[in-house]
């Protein structure tokens, strides 16, 4: 479980880093075109800003509604339900992860009042589950309901930790939303904290 948590932390640190890069790149494109059009006409620059914002949000909405509706919203409530035995169709899938990543990037770059904190919880859940299916024999042990929930808790903690740069906060958040469940143990707390620390460390090094 220590190895799996370390991998989850690395994956989430990389995902959070790539997310920051994409949001910054999209925002720069929008802002640079707005600034360039300012020299021509101030009203034109306002039009460019509005059009690009609407275009980004339109892409995010189309990706979510047409490709992966399960990516809608933050995903925190669904993560809580999954940890407590409620199954949500397509909540855990590679398609949902990709749409969540791209949709969040376009939505934030488009100027919507949203953040990456909740979506990183969802992405962490998917990464945690996916870790159990890595093509190595040692990961066969995790292919049962209880162990997958542990990996999901580690992914959630790593996601929150990458969003806020707070490993302890990520661990406590994962504990809080899985509190009614029976799979949590004191030893799992340390493993979840380890995943959170790795996630923050990798994100900081990459930045």
């Amino acid at each position: 479980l220590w190895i799996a948590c370390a991998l989850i932390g690395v994956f989430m640190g990389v995902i959070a880093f790539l997310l920051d890069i994409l949001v910054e790149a999209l925002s720069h494109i929008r802002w640079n075109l707005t600034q360039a059009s300012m020299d021509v006409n101030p009203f034109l620059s306002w039009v460019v800003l509005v059009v690009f914002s609407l275009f980004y949000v339109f892409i995010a909405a189309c990706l979510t509604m047409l490709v992966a509706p399960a990516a809608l919203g933050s995903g925190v409530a669904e993560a809580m339900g999954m940890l407590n035995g409620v199954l949500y169709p397509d909540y855990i899938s590679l398609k949902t992860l990709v749409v969540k990543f791209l949709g969040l990037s376009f939505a934030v770059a488009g100027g919507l009042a949203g953040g990456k904190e909740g979506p990183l919880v969802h992405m962490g859940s998917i990464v945690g589950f996916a870790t159990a299916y890595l093509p190595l024999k040692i990961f066969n042990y995790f292919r049962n309901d209880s162990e997958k929930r542990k990996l999901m808790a580690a992914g959630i903690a790593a996601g929150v930790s990458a969003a806020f740069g707070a490993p302890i906060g990520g661990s406590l958040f994962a504990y809080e939303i899985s509190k009614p469940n029976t799979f949590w143990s004191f030893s799992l707390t340390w493993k979840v904290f380890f995943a959170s620390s790795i996630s923050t460390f990798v994100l900081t090094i990459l930045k």
Side-chain angles (χ1 to χ4, degrees), residues 187-199:
S187 63
L188 179 62
T189 306
W190 283 109
K191 296 178 180 74
V192 165
F193 174 69
F194 179 62
S196 300
S197 302
I198 293 290
S199 173

Side-chain angles (χ1 to χ4, degrees), residues 8-116:
I8 290 169
V10 171
F11 291 147
M12 287 311 300
V14 171
I15 286 173
F17 176 66
L18 294 175
L19 188 64
D20 286 343
I21 286 179
L22 184 55
V23 169
E24 192 172 344
L26 291 170
S27 299
H28 273 308
I29 291 170
R30 185 181 68 147
W31 186 246
N32 289 339
L33 287 170
T34 303
Q35 289 282 71
S37 58
M38 180 74 79
D39 299 331
V40 179
N41 188 308
F43 179 74
L44 178 63
S45 67
W46 179 81
V47 171
V48 169
L49 182 66
V50 170
V51 167
F52 260 85
S53 299
L54 290 173
F55 178 65
Y56 283 171
V57 173
F58 178 74
I59 291 174
C62 286
L63 282 172
T64 304
M65 299 308 294
L66 302 177
V67 181
L72 186 67
S74 72
V76 175
E78 290 84 352
M80 190 183 300
M82 290 284 288
L83 286 174
N84 290 284
V86 180
L87 182 63
Y88 293 96
D90 293 330
Y91 178 80
I92 304 292
S93 72
L94 182 60
K95 178 176 69 174
T96 304
L97 176 63
V98 172
V99 169
K100 196 84 172 184
F101 181 86
L102 295 175
L104 174 63
S105 302
F106 278 104
V108 172
L112 287 184
K116 60 184 180 181

Side-chain angles (χ1 to χ4, degrees), residues 7 11 130-140 143:
L7 287 173
F11 291 147
T131 305
Y133 294 96
L134 289 173
L136 294 172
K137 189 172 286 187
I138 59 170
F139 290 102
N140 291 344
R143 293 173 190 176

